Amino acid sequence: MPTESARGELGYYIVSDGGSMPYRVKVRAPSFVNLQSLPYACKGEQVPDMVAIIASLDPVMGDVDR
C-alpha cells in the first residue's frame, strides 16, 4: 500500500498468515528509490558537481539503509 511522504512514495508490503502478527513486512523508502537515479544524473558531469546533484535529491541515508 503506497502512501505519500515528503520525499516521495513510501511503500509498505504486509503479508498475514491469519494470526495476530504480520508474517512479513517490507518497507520501501523513497530515498532508496531516488538514489537509484544518481548514476544517470551524474553521467557526464564533473566530480565537484556531484555534491550539488546529491543535495538536489535530498536523500535521508537512514531511509536508504533500511
Side-chain angles (χ1 to χ4, degrees):
M1 167 175 261
T3 59
E4 187 68 27
S5 73
R7 289 180 172 82
E9 187 178 77
L10 179 63
Y12 288 97
Y13 178 73
I14 302 171
V15 177
S16 175
D17 61 357
S20 61
M21 299 289 289
Y23 175 73
R24 180 174 184 194
V25 175
K26 185 174 180 176
V27 179
R28 190 186 80 172
S31 291
F32 179 73
V33 177
N34 292 344
L35 277 182
Q36 292 178 1
S37 67
L38 190 60
Y40 301 103
C42 292
K43 188 174 182 177
E45 299 295 331
Q46 295 181 359
V47 173
D49 294 335
M50 290 179 64
V51 175
I53 293 170
I54 293 171
S56 70
L57 294 176
D58 194 25
V60 175
M61 296 316 274
D63 279 350
V64 175
D65 191 33
R66 272 189 226 211

Coordinates of all heavy atoms in Angstrom, one line a residue:
M1 N 0.8 -1.2 0.0 CA 0.0 0.0 0.0 C 0.9 1.2 0.0 O 1.6 1.5 1.0 CB -0.9 0.0 1.2 CG -1.6 1.3 1.5 SD -2.7 1.2 2.8 CE -4.2 1.1 1.9
P2 N 0.9 2.0 -1.1 CA 1.7 3.2 -1.1 C 1.1 4.4 -0.4 O -0.1 4.5 -0.4 CB 1.9 3.5 -2.6 CG 0.6 2.9 -3.2 CD 0.3 1.7 -2.3
T3 N 1.9 5.2 0.3 CA 1.5 6.4 0.9 C 2.5 7.5 0.5 O 3.6 7.2 0.1 CB 1.4 6.3 2.4 OG1 2.7 6.0 2.9 CG2 0.5 5.3 2.9
E4 N 2.0 8.7 0.5 CA 2.8 9.9 0.1 C 3.6 10.4 1.3 O 3.1 10.5 2.4 CB 1.9 11.0 -0.4 CG 2.7 12.1 -1.0 CD 3.4 11.8 -2.3 OE1 3.0 10.8 -3.0 OE2 4.4 12.4 -2.6
S5 N 4.9 10.6 1.1 CA 5.7 11.2 2.2 C 6.4 12.5 1.6 O 6.2 12.8 0.4 CB 6.8 10.3 2.7 OG 7.8 10.1 1.7
A6 N 7.2 13.2 2.4 CA 7.8 14.4 1.9 C 8.7 14.3 0.8 O 8.9 15.2 0.0 CB 8.4 15.1 3.1
R7 N 9.4 13.1 0.7 CA 10.4 12.9 -0.3 C 10.0 11.9 -1.4 O 10.8 11.6 -2.3 CB 11.7 12.4 0.4 CG 12.3 13.4 1.2 CD 13.6 13.0 1.8 NE 14.3 14.1 2.4 CZ 14.0 14.6 3.6 NH1 13.0 14.1 4.3 NH2 14.7 15.6 4.1
G8 N 8.8 11.5 -1.4 CA 8.3 10.6 -2.5 C 7.3 9.6 -2.0 O 6.7 9.8 -0.9
E9 N 7.2 8.5 -2.7 CA 6.2 7.5 -2.3 C 6.8 6.5 -1.4 O 7.9 5.9 -1.6 CB 5.7 6.8 -3.6 CG 4.6 5.8 -3.4 CD 4.2 5.1 -4.7 OE1 4.9 4.2 -5.1 OE2 3.1 5.5 -5.2
L10 N 6.2 6.3 -0.3 CA 6.6 5.3 0.8 C 5.7 4.1 0.6 O 4.5 4.2 0.6 CB 6.4 6.0 2.1 CG 6.8 5.2 3.4 CD1 8.3 4.9 3.4 CD2 6.4 5.9 4.6
G11 N 6.4 2.9 0.4 CA 5.6 1.7 0.2 C 5.7 0.7 1.3 O 6.8 0.5 1.9
Y12 N 4.6 0.1 1.6 CA 4.6 -0.9 2.7 C 4.0 -2.2 2.0 O 3.0 -2.2 1.3 CB 3.7 -0.5 3.8 CG 4.2 0.5 4.7 CD1 3.9 1.8 4.5 CD2 5.1 0.2 5.7 CE1 4.4 2.8 5.4 CE2 5.6 1.2 6.6 CZ 5.2 2.5 6.4 OH 5.7 3.5 7.2
Y13 N 4.7 -3.3 2.3 CA 4.3 -4.6 1.8 C 4.0 -5.5 3.1 O 5.0 -5.7 3.8 CB 5.3 -5.2 0.9 CG 5.0 -6.6 0.4 CD1 4.0 -6.8 -0.6 CD2 5.6 -7.7 0.9 CE1 3.7 -8.1 -1.0 CE2 5.3 -9.0 0.4 CZ 4.3 -9.2 -0.5 OH 4.0 -10.4 -1.0
I14 N 2.8 -5.9 3.3 CA 2.5 -6.6 4.5 C 1.8 -7.9 4.1 O 0.8 -7.9 3.4 CB 1.6 -5.8 5.5 CG1 2.2 -4.5 5.8 CG2 1.2 -6.6 6.7 CD1 1.3 -3.5 6.5
V15 N 2.2 -9.0 4.7 CA 1.6 -10.3 4.4 C 1.2 -10.9 5.8 O 2.0 -10.9 6.7 CB 2.6 -11.3 3.7 CG1 2.0 -12.7 3.5 CG2 3.1 -10.7 2.4
S16 N 0.0 -11.4 5.8 CA -0.5 -12.0 7.0 C -0.8 -13.5 6.8 O -1.2 -13.9 5.7 CB -1.8 -11.3 7.4 OG -2.4 -12.0 8.5
D17 N -0.6 -14.3 7.9 CA -0.9 -15.7 7.8 C -2.2 -16.0 8.6 O -2.5 -17.1 8.9 CB 0.2 -16.6 8.3 CG 0.6 -16.3 9.7 OD1 0.1 -15.4 10.3 OD2 1.5 -17.0 10.2
G18 N -2.9 -14.9 9.0 CA -4.2 -15.1 9.7 C -4.0 -14.9 11.2 O -5.0 -14.9 11.9
G19 N -2.8 -14.8 11.7 CA -2.5 -14.6 13.1 C -2.6 -13.1 13.5 O -3.0 -12.3 12.8
S20 N -2.2 -12.9 14.8 CA -2.3 -11.5 15.3 C -1.1 -10.7 14.8 O -1.2 -9.4 15.0 CB -2.4 -11.6 16.8 OG -1.2 -12.2 17.3
M21 N 0.0 -11.3 14.4 CA 1.1 -10.5 13.9 C 1.3 -10.8 12.4 O 1.0 -11.8 11.9 CB 2.4 -11.0 14.7 CG 2.3 -10.9 16.2 SD 2.5 -9.1 16.6 CE 4.2 -8.8 16.3
P22 N 1.9 -9.8 11.7 CA 2.1 -10.0 10.3 C 3.2 -11.0 10.0 O 4.2 -11.1 10.8 CB 2.6 -8.6 9.8 CG 2.7 -7.8 10.9 CD 2.2 -8.4 12.1
Y23 N 3.1 -11.8 9.0 CA 4.0 -12.8 8.6 C 5.3 -12.2 8.0 O 6.4 -12.6 8.3 CB 3.4 -13.8 7.6 CG 4.3 -14.8 7.1 CD1 4.7 -15.9 7.8 CD2 4.8 -14.7 5.8 CE1 5.6 -16.8 7.3 CE2 5.6 -15.7 5.2 CZ 6.0 -16.7 6.0 OH 6.9 -17.7 5.5
R24 N 5.1 -11.1 7.2 CA 6.2 -10.4 6.6 C 5.8 -9.0 6.4 O 4.7 -8.6 6.0 CB 6.5 -11.0 5.2 CG 7.7 -10.4 4.5 CD 8.1 -11.1 3.3 NE 9.2 -10.4 2.7 CZ 9.7 -10.6 1.5 NH1 9.1 -11.4 0.7 NH2 10.8 -9.9 1.1
V25 N 6.8 -8.1 6.7 CA 6.6 -6.6 6.5 C 7.9 -6.1 5.8 O 9.0 -6.4 6.2 CB 6.5 -5.9 7.8 CG1 6.4 -4.4 7.6 CG2 5.2 -6.4 8.6
K26 N 7.6 -5.4 4.7 CA 8.7 -4.8 4.0 C 8.4 -3.3 3.7 O 7.3 -3.0 3.3 CB 9.0 -5.5 2.6 CG 10.2 -5.1 1.9 CD 10.4 -5.9 0.7 CE 11.6 -5.4 -0.1 NZ 12.0 -6.2 -1.2
V27 N 9.4 -2.5 3.9 CA 9.2 -1.0 3.8 C 10.1 -0.5 2.7 O 11.3 -0.8 2.7 CB 9.5 -0.2 5.1 CG1 9.3 1.2 4.8 CG2 8.6 -0.7 6.2
R28 N 9.6 0.2 1.7 CA 10.4 0.7 0.6 C 10.4 2.2 0.8 O 9.4 2.9 0.6 CB 9.8 0.4 -0.8 CG 10.8 0.8 -1.9 CD 10.2 0.5 -3.2 NE 9.3 1.7 -3.4 CZ 8.7 1.9 -4.6 NH1 8.8 1.1 -5.5 NH2 7.9 3.0 -4.7
A29 N 11.6 2.7 1.2 CA 11.7 4.2 1.5 C 11.9 5.0 0.2 O 12.5 4.5 -0.7 CB 12.9 4.4 2.4
P30 N 11.4 6.2 0.1 CA 11.5 7.0 -1.1 C 13.0 7.4 -1.4 O 13.4 7.5 -2.5 CB 10.7 8.2 -0.8 CG 10.4 8.2 0.6 CD 10.6 6.9 1.1
S31 N 13.8 7.6 -0.3 CA 15.2 8.0 -0.6 C 16.0 6.9 -1.3 O 16.8 7.2 -2.1 CB 15.9 8.3 0.7 OG 15.3 9.5 1.3
F32 N 15.7 5.6 -1.0 CA 16.3 4.5 -1.7 C 16.0 4.5 -3.2 O 16.9 4.3 -4.0 CB 15.9 3.2 -1.1 CG 16.5 2.0 -1.7 CD1 17.8 1.7 -1.5 CD2 15.8 1.1 -2.5 CE1 18.4 0.6 -2.1 CE2 16.3 0.0 -3.1 CZ 17.6 -0.2 -2.9
V33 N 14.8 4.8 -3.5 CA 14.4 4.8 -4.9 C 15.0 6.0 -5.6 O 15.4 5.9 -6.7 CB 12.8 4.8 -5.0 CG1 12.4 4.9 -6.5 CG2 12.3 3.6 -4.4
N34 N 15.0 7.2 -4.9 CA 15.5 8.4 -5.5 C 17.0 8.3 -5.8 O 17.5 8.8 -6.8 CB 15.2 9.6 -4.6 CG 13.8 9.9 -4.5 OD1 13.0 9.4 -5.3 ND2 13.4 10.7 -3.5
L35 N 17.8 7.6 -4.9 CA 19.2 7.5 -5.2 C 19.5 6.6 -6.4 O 20.6 6.6 -6.9 CB 19.9 6.9 -3.9 CG 20.2 7.9 -2.8 CD1 20.9 7.2 -1.7 CD2 21.1 9.0 -3.4
Q36 N 18.6 5.8 -6.8 CA 18.9 4.9 -8.0 C 19.0 5.7 -9.2 O 19.5 5.2 -10.2 CB 17.8 3.9 -8.1 CG 17.8 2.8 -7.0 CD 16.7 1.8 -7.1 OE1 15.9 1.9 -8.0 NE2 16.6 0.9 -6.2
S37 N 18.5 7.0 -9.2 CA 18.7 7.8 -10.4 C 20.0 8.6 -10.4 O 20.3 9.3 -11.4 CB 17.5 8.8 -10.4 OG 17.6 9.7 -9.3
L38 N 20.8 8.4 -9.4 CA 22.1 9.1 -9.3 C 23.1 8.9 -10.4 O 23.7 9.8 -10.9 CB 22.7 8.8 -7.9 CG 23.9 9.7 -7.5 CD1 23.5 11.1 -7.4 CD2 24.4 9.2 -6.2
P39 N 23.3 7.6 -10.8 CA 24.2 7.4 -11.9 C 23.8 8.1 -13.2 O 24.6 8.6 -14.0 CB 24.2 5.9 -12.1 CG 23.8 5.3 -10.9 CD 22.8 6.3 -10.3
Y40 N 22.5 8.2 -13.5 CA 22.0 8.9 -14.7 C 22.2 10.4 -14.6 O 22.5 11.1 -15.5 CB 20.6 8.5 -14.9 CG 20.4 7.0 -15.1 CD1 19.8 6.3 -14.1 CD2 20.7 6.4 -16.3 CE1 19.6 4.9 -14.2 CE2 20.5 5.0 -16.4 CZ 20.0 4.3 -15.4 OH 19.8 3.0 -15.6
A41 N 22.0 10.9 -13.4 CA 22.1 12.4 -13.2 C 23.5 12.8 -13.2 O 23.8 14.0 -13.6 CB 21.4 12.7 -11.8
C42 N 24.5 12.0 -12.8 CA 25.9 12.3 -12.7 C 26.6 12.0 -14.0 O 27.8 12.4 -14.1 CB 26.6 11.6 -11.5 SG 26.0 12.2 -10.0
K43 N 26.0 11.4 -14.9 CA 26.7 11.0 -16.2 C 27.2 12.2 -16.9 O 26.3 13.1 -17.3 CB 25.8 10.1 -17.0 CG 26.5 9.5 -18.2 CD 25.7 8.5 -18.9 CE 26.4 7.9 -20.1 NZ 25.6 6.9 -20.8
G44 N 28.4 12.3 -17.2 CA 29.0 13.4 -18.0 C 29.3 14.7 -17.2 O 29.7 15.7 -17.7
E45 N 29.0 14.6 -15.9 CA 29.2 15.8 -15.0 C 30.6 15.7 -14.4 O 31.2 14.7 -14.3 CB 28.1 15.9 -14.0 CG 26.7 16.1 -14.5 CD 26.5 17.4 -15.3 OE1 27.2 18.4 -15.0 OE2 25.7 17.4 -16.2
Q46 N 31.1 16.8 -13.9 CA 32.3 16.9 -13.1 C 32.1 16.4 -11.7 O 31.0 16.5 -11.2 CB 32.9 18.2 -13.2 CG 33.3 18.7 -14.6 CD 33.9 20.1 -14.6 OE1 34.0 20.7 -13.6 NE2 34.3 20.5 -15.8
V47 N 33.2 15.9 -11.1 CA 33.1 15.4 -9.7 C 32.6 16.5 -8.7 O 31.8 16.2 -7.9 CB 34.5 14.8 -9.3 CG1 34.5 14.4 -7.8 CG2 34.8 13.6 -10.1
P48 N 33.1 17.7 -8.8 CA 32.6 18.7 -7.8 C 31.1 19.0 -8.0 O 30.5 19.4 -7.0 CB 33.4 20.0 -8.1 CG 34.6 19.5 -8.8 CD 34.2 18.3 -9.6
D49 N 30.5 18.8 -9.1 CA 29.1 19.0 -9.3 C 28.3 17.9 -8.7 O 27.1 18.1 -8.5 CB 28.8 19.0 -10.8 CG 29.4 20.2 -11.5 OD1 29.6 21.2 -10.8 OD2 29.6 20.2 -12.7
M50 N 28.9 16.7 -8.4 CA 28.1 15.6 -7.8 C 27.6 16.0 -6.4 O 26.5 15.5 -6.0 CB 29.0 14.4 -7.7 CG 29.3 13.8 -9.0 SD 30.3 12.3 -8.9 CE 29.3 11.2 -8.0
V51 N 28.3 16.9 -5.7 CA 27.8 17.3 -4.4 C 26.4 18.0 -4.5 O 25.5 17.7 -3.8 CB 28.8 18.2 -3.7 CG1 28.2 18.8 -2.4 CG2 30.1 17.5 -3.4
A52 N 26.3 18.9 -5.5 CA 25.1 19.6 -5.7 C 24.0 18.7 -6.2 O 22.8 18.8 -5.9 CB 25.3 20.8 -6.7
I53 N 24.4 17.7 -7.1 CA 23.4 16.8 -7.6 C 22.8 15.9 -6.5 O 21.6 15.7 -6.4 CB 24.0 15.9 -8.7 CG1 24.4 16.8 -9.9 CG2 23.1 14.8 -9.1 CD1 25.2 16.1 -11.0
I54 N 23.7 15.4 -5.6 CA 23.2 14.6 -4.5 C 22.3 15.4 -3.5 O 21.3 14.9 -3.1 CB 24.4 13.9 -3.7 CG1 25.1 12.9 -4.6 CG2 23.9 13.3 -2.4 CD1 26.4 12.4 -4.1
A55 N 22.7 16.7 -3.3 CA 21.9 17.5 -2.4 C 20.6 17.8 -3.1 O 19.6 18.0 -2.3 CB 22.7 18.8 -2.2
S56 N 20.5 17.9 -4.4 CA 19.2 18.2 -5.0 C 18.2 17.0 -4.9 O 17.0 17.2 -4.9 CB 19.4 18.5 -6.5 OG 19.8 17.3 -7.2
L57 N 18.8 15.8 -4.7 CA 17.9 14.6 -4.5 C 17.4 14.6 -3.0 O 16.4 13.9 -2.7 CB 18.7 13.3 -4.8 CG 19.1 13.1 -6.2 CD1 19.9 11.8 -6.3 CD2 17.8 13.0 -7.1
D58 N 18.1 15.2 -2.1 CA 17.7 15.4 -0.7 C 17.5 14.0 -0.1 O 16.4 13.7 0.5 CB 16.5 16.2 -0.5 CG 16.3 16.7 0.9 OD1 17.3 16.7 1.7 OD2 15.1 17.0 1.2
P59 N 18.5 13.1 -0.1 CA 18.3 11.8 0.5 C 18.4 11.8 2.0 O 19.2 12.6 2.5 CB 19.4 10.9 -0.2 CG 20.5 11.9 -0.4 CD 19.8 13.2 -0.7
V60 N 17.7 10.9 2.6 CA 17.9 10.6 4.0 C 18.6 9.2 4.1 O 18.0 8.2 3.8 CB 16.6 10.6 4.8 CG1 16.7 10.2 6.2 CG2 15.9 11.9 4.6
M61 N 19.8 9.2 4.5 CA 20.6 8.0 4.4 C 20.1 6.9 5.4 O 20.2 5.7 5.2 CB 22.1 8.2 4.7 CG 22.7 9.1 3.6 SD 22.2 8.7 2.0 CE 23.5 7.5 1.6
G62 N 19.4 7.3 6.5 CA 18.8 6.3 7.4 C 17.7 5.6 6.7 O 17.4 4.4 6.9
D63 N 17.0 6.2 5.7 CA 15.9 5.5 5.0 C 16.6 4.6 4.0 O 16.0 3.5 3.7 CB 15.1 6.5 4.2 CG 14.0 7.2 5.0 OD1 13.8 6.7 6.1 OD2 13.4 8.2 4.5
V64 N 17.7 4.9 3.4 CA 18.4 4.1 2.4 C 18.9 2.8 3.1 O 18.9 1.8 2.4 CB 19.5 4.9 1.7 CG1 20.3 4.0 0.8 CG2 18.9 6.1 1.0
D65 N 19.3 2.9 4.3 CA 19.9 1.8 5.0 C 18.9 0.8 5.5 O 19.3 -0.3 5.9 CB 20.7 2.4 6.2 CG 21.6 1.3 6.8 OD1 22.1 0.5 6.1 OD2 21.8 1.4 8.0
R66 N 17.6 1.0 5.4 CA 16.6 0.1 5.9 C 16.8 -1.3 5.4 O 16.5 -1.9 4.6 CB 15.2 0.5 5.6 CG 14.7 1.4 6.7 CD 13.3 1.7 6.4 NE 13.1 3.1 6.5 CZ 11.9 3.6 6.9 NH1 10.9 2.9 7.2 NH2 11.8 4.9 7.0

